[in-house]
Amino acid sequence: MLERIYIARHGFRSTWVTDSAGNYTAVIVSPTGIPTDPPLASHGVSQAKQLASHLASLSTDVRPQRIYSSPYYRCLQTITPTADDLNLEIHLENGIGEWFGFAPFTHPGPATPERLHQFFPRIVLSGDEPIFVPRANGEKFDEVHDRCAYVLARLIEDLDREWKETGTGVKSVLLCGHAASVIAMGRALRGDVDMEVRAGTASLSEYMRVGFGGGWDMVRNGDCSFLEGGEERNWWF
């Protein structure tokens, strides 16, 4: 049975701007060519390495055994050092991707898995379909919470099914997302839509299963103690 869920936010990134008509302009052009898909800043690259070192330092019985990531470049860039250190594949999941507010225009989406695989070869290309793909013109506040709650419920169900069918499986999983999805996932696990979930860049939250009732305790809330710069760019909604 799945016992532990780690949730990380991507590292310190470059940014983009948009106007009222939905025209996006990147400050630093992404390798994918998508304005809303910026890479990490050099500081974020350092944070990603520090996150990886921290996770690799954990005892083998609690280290992540599987990784799921938002399909945006900054998340994959953040989680790849961890995947390298732990020798794990990366499973893409659109349902833990970026939150764009509801708008009368279409927001740019992430690159295709095939395109991303060119930059991040640990991505799994076969057998994975996203649990949820967010609406192209954005979501309202309650919709991003519903989306993340649904994805988590399905993911937990799927991982538990592995144990029931084979007698073995994943005990600890790591998910890498964005500030909004990190917060919404934490609130879903705790069943509290108003809970304060800290989400600094490259932060790590940890949730442990409580008994057989399906509840989850928060063990760490946006931990940044392993980062040289501590907590940065915490966000709230």
Side-chain angles (χ1 to χ4, degrees):
M1 183 173 67
L2 181 66
E3 298 175 353
R4 192 181 309 265
I5 298 175
Y6 295 101
I7 302 178
R9 182 186 172 192
H10 63 74
F12 201 100
R13 62 165 171 80
S14 59
T15 191
W16 67 82
V17 294
T18 184
D19 60 24
S20 59
N23 298 307
Y24 285 86
T25 304
V27 175
I28 299 177
V29 177
S30 169
T32 64
I34 300 170
T36 55
D37 196 23
L40 298 178
S42 59
H43 181 53
V45 172
S46 296
Q47 288 182 318
K49 293 176 181 177
Q50 292 163 35
L51 172 64
S53 295
H54 173 66
L55 287 166
S57 73
L58 300 177
S59 60
T60 54
D61 58 323
V62 299
R63 282 180 195 163
Q65 298 169 294
R66 189 173 298 173
I67 295 174
Y68 292 86
S69 177
S70 159
Y72 285 89
Y73 195 93
R74 54 196 178 276
C75 288
L76 291 162
Q77 196 178 6
T78 297
I79 214 63
T80 288
T82 297
D84 288 342
D85 284 357
L86 301 183
N87 194 27
L88 295 174
E89 296 177 320
I90 300 173
H91 299 260
L92 298 180
E93 177 48 58
N94 297 56
I96 62 174
E98 182 66 284
W99 174 45
F100 293 98
F102 185 73
F105 51 80
T106 298
H107 300 285
T112 65
E114 292 74 18
R115 174 69 169 147
L116 292 168
H117 189 266
Q118 296 175 10
F119 304 109
F120 306 104
R122 287 192 176 271
I123 289 175
V124 175
L125 286 180
S126 61
D128 272 5
E129 292 292 334
I131 295 172
F132 192 95
V133 178
R135 195 170 53 211
N137 64 330
E139 303 162 293
K140 298 179 181 178
F141 176 85
D142 57 339
E143 291 175 321
V144 67
H145 282 85
D146 289 345
R147 180 240 294 182
C148 289
Y150 175 75
V151 169
L152 275 175
R154 281 281 309 278
L155 186 61
I156 293 167
E157 180 183 2
D158 290 345
L159 293 174
D160 283 348
R161 186 182 302 113
E162 289 184 24
W163 280 97
K164 292 177 183 177
E165 293 178 350
T166 67
T168 187
V170 173
K171 289 187 176 182
S172 298
V173 67
L174 170 63
L175 293 84
C176 184
H178 310 256
S181 59
V182 166
I183 293 169
M185 285 190 284
R187 289 172 174 172
L189 289 171
R190 295 292 297 136
D192 182 358
V193 73
D194 296 315
M195 184 180 72
E196 180 183 10
V197 179
R198 304 200 69 80
T201 51
S203 61
L204 185 69
S205 293
E206 180 182 353
Y207 302 85
M208 285 189 63
R209 205 166 201 165
V210 182
F212 295 98
W216 295 84
D217 273 346
M218 175 182 269
V219 179
R220 286 195 269 182
N221 187 356
D223 181 20
C224 294
S225 62
F226 52 87
L227 298 174
E228 292 177 359
E231 185 182 78
E232 297 175 81
R233 283 192 176 180
N234 184 45
W235 192 79
W236 167 262
F237 78 139

